[in-house]
Amino acid sequence: MADTARRPESRYGNRPTMKDVAARAGVGLKTVSRVVNGEAGVTADTERRVQEAIDALGFRRNDSARVLRKGRTSSIGLVLEDLADPFYGPLNRAVEEVARAHGALLINGSSAEDPAREQELVLALCARRVDGLIVIPAGHDHRYLEPEIKAGVATVFVDRPAGRIDADAVLSDSFGGARSGAAHLIAHGHRRIGFIGDQPGIHTASERLRGYRTAMADAGLAIDADWVSLGTTAPRRVHEAVVAMLGRPEPVTAILTGNNRVTVTVLRVLAAHERPVALVSFDDIELADLLDPGVTVIAQDAATLGRRAAERLFHRLDGGLEAPAHVVLPTRLIARGSGEIPPPADG
């Protein structure tokens, strides 16, 4: 028996074309093209009829042909570590605002700190003919980008420098910020200071560790190997590191954290600890000023990072030919109370 059941119709129709607009308005294709592209040579009455047809049909211009003619898509790509990370929200927004001011569309994605995923995203964006790229690198070898850069794709790295290629980068002063955070704790009497950071292969993590070590050396303080813990920012890993540092016969009396995600877990552990422990966080966190005590932080300006990177990118797209440069932005220590807790009298 033949199947006479009707297949459900798709809710999605075909996109209207300029030919459809021309037929509805009773004009030629060239006239529609002139109206769509804002060209001269069309009377006000004809332009009105074409615009009414465009609105009635829901026509949208297909920019593919314009891309082939002009070689530009008026779009840029942004590859972040994690769009859900609060640090990247202001950075993303700042890039978007600069792109919009230049009449460009921003397309972004997350690498999840995976070098293979980063490369996949970057090359997918290049395949879609973005004019430029802003990349927060997950990997350490960006030679795969050399053919794209030679083909004209402007590229700026942000937060971390590129690996094995010479490229523009806009960075925060991770070394100086961590050094000032550790020095702040030392100035408040601490001698046993722990450092809990991100994975050691990440540029910012290694720079912040270097800043901590330098501040301790400047003060003539030796560092016990058990005072340093680098690894993923997973809560379980960070929790175990804090508990180990506080459970020693001579526990640390202060902790410097390497980023905001580490800080959140450390705060949860310290909330249940019987003795106060001083804390300085690299990166600010939401509501840090409302906690008791407020969290002392080394604040980065994520919005300025994004804005400066985007401005650099459009400078390149506008023909800037000078050698690639690294711009390093200062950090700012904000004392709110947690970093000013003194060590215990018996410790």
Side-chain angles (χ1 to χ4, degrees), residues 257-328:
T257 60
N259 64 34
N260 54 0
R261 286 165 293 179
V262 172
T263 301
V264 170
T265 301
V266 171
L267 283 169
R268 290 195 171 112
V269 178
L270 295 185
H273 192 61
E274 67 277 5
R275 302 179 72 172
V277 176
L279 172 68
V280 172
S281 166
F282 203 112
D283 287 341
D284 210 345
I285 60 172
E286 191 173 6
L287 306 181
D289 57 329
L290 299 182
L291 298 175
D292 186 19
V295 181
T296 295
V297 302
I298 303 151
Q300 303 185 77
D301 191 340
T304 299
L305 276 172
R307 178 174 54 79
R308 294 285 295 273
E311 289 172 347
R312 187 71 175 175
L313 184 73
F314 283 100
H315 170 71
R316 290 298 189 192
L317 290 172
D318 289 340
L321 297 176
E322 65 273 18
H326 285 191
V327 177
V328 180

